[in-house]
Amino acid sequence: VGGVDHPQRLHAAAAALDAAALAALVVPASPDLAYLTGYAPMPMERPTMLVVTPHGPPTLVVPTLERPLAAACPAGDSLTFLDWRDDTDPYPLVAALLPPTGQVAVGDRIWGSHLLALQATVPGVRWAAAGTVLGPLRARKDEWELDALRRAAAAADAALEEVLGTPIAGCTEIDVARRLAGLLVDHGHDSAAFTIVASGPNAASPHHEPERRLIGSGDAVVMDFGGDVEGYYSDTTRTIVVEQAPPELRAVHAIVHEAHAAAVATIRAGIEIGSVDAAARSVIEAAGYGDSFIHRTGHGIGLEVHEPPYVREGDHTELTPGMTFSVEPGIYLPGRFGVRIEDIVAVTATGAEVLNRSSRALRCVA
Ligand code: ZN
Ligand code: ZN
Ligand code: ZN
């Protein structure tokens, strides 16, 4: 991926291991591997594992059939390669790169089968989650990453504008979701990742799976969708209404809109992330809907749709420039309707850059 300094990221990971007194880091096929090397093979039963140590060269253990693919990855020149054929046992190869004792960090997304086999091969090692080492590195986006996230957000906004110009009333949720998925790609995403279209009572379920329900007059429709641009994700939500808004929908939308604005207004480097959640939650609580805001205010985003940091009550993580996360308060009234508004923001020295630009107003569509 052009513009990314993978050797620098590998050095930063090694330094973080040293600082945390960890003897090694084992990274399976996962977004962590893509972050460190630019290599993103499909996770599978054949293990691919990067081993990073505080001082030695990073080594990538790969199945022989994928060695050419791995060698061509952006960090290829910075890696030592070891390959294994299907008739051999790969775990001793990885184990030989690890110390016999001490603490080894392992990527959060490793398959259970791979970790169990490794643990049996080096019984003297104590295992730790690599998230504590890699999470803070991945949370601070560099300029290239911020640009990819901006491009993804702009493409998602354009997809929304176009879908709202097409007929919604009389269509099924699945129809609209398919249209959105196509538009995400048309407007610049490499692929669509998810398209939630939740109408009427279905809008009260935050992660509703689109179904054949016909969207009708007076329905609130929550559209929450995203895809990736060069591996970096968009994720935005707008709630619209078909033809005419019932009075309570109008009132609830105004509360969520205000909660969203209050949360964005608090964001700046140096504050605790929990206070962003508190800003949104206090608006909704004051309006009497506190029990209907059933999730945290947001999540980090980058190479994964959900990644650290998490915008939740009482979390003391300090905001630093370059952190990117969603702000997505919602109110959900089971059996009736739901409202959510979501944008991706980037923390700057003085405030927040809001990456999504489409109107947050309650728009009426035909
Ligand atoms: Zn969600
Ligand atoms: Zn979302
Ligand atoms: Zn989200």
Side-chain angles (χ1 to χ4, degrees), residues 7-177:
Q8 189 277 327
R9 290 180 181 179
L10 286 163
H11 278 127
L17 287 179
D18 212 11
L22 290 160
L25 166 67
V26 176
V27 182
S30 62
D32 285 336
L33 184 65
Y35 175 77
L36 292 171
T37 67
Y39 184 45
M42 187 174 62
M44 62 167 165
E45 76 291 349
R46 291 184 179 104
T48 290
M49 289 184 188
L50 173 71
V51 178
V52 180
T53 56
H55 303 290
T59 301
L60 189 62
V61 177
V62 294
T64 301
L65 82 165
E66 290 183 346
R67 181 165 176 156
L69 188 64
C73 82
D77 292 343
S78 306
L79 302 172
T80 299
F81 291 92
L82 287 178
D83 65 284
W84 60 276
R85 301 176 68 104
D86 286 342
D87 59 348
T88 64
D89 182 358
Y91 301 103
L93 213 54
V94 178
L97 300 167
L98 302 176
T101 59
Q103 198 164 30
V104 172
V106 62
D108 296 349
R109 290 241 203 154
I110 194 169
W111 282 20
S113 55
H114 295 321
L115 181 56
L116 288 169
L118 263 185
Q119 287 176 324
T121 312
V122 273
V125 155
R126 283 174 299 121
W127 299 89
T132 53
V133 173
L134 294 178
L137 296 180
R138 284 180 49 187
R140 280 188 302 275
K141 272 65 181 179
D142 64 25
E143 262 315 311
W144 188 89
E145 292 178 290
L146 288 172
D147 184 62
L149 287 163
R150 282 184 198 111
R151 286 182 281 148
D157 291 348
L160 176 81
E161 291 307 320
E162 191 166 336
V163 87
L164 293 185
T166 66
I168 305 284
C171 297
T172 67
E173 293 174 347
I174 289 175
D175 290 335
V176 178

Side-chain angles (χ1 to χ4, degrees), residues 235 299 306 326 328 342:
D235 181 8
H299 53 82
H306 289 190
S326 70
E328 52 178 307
E342 174 180 25

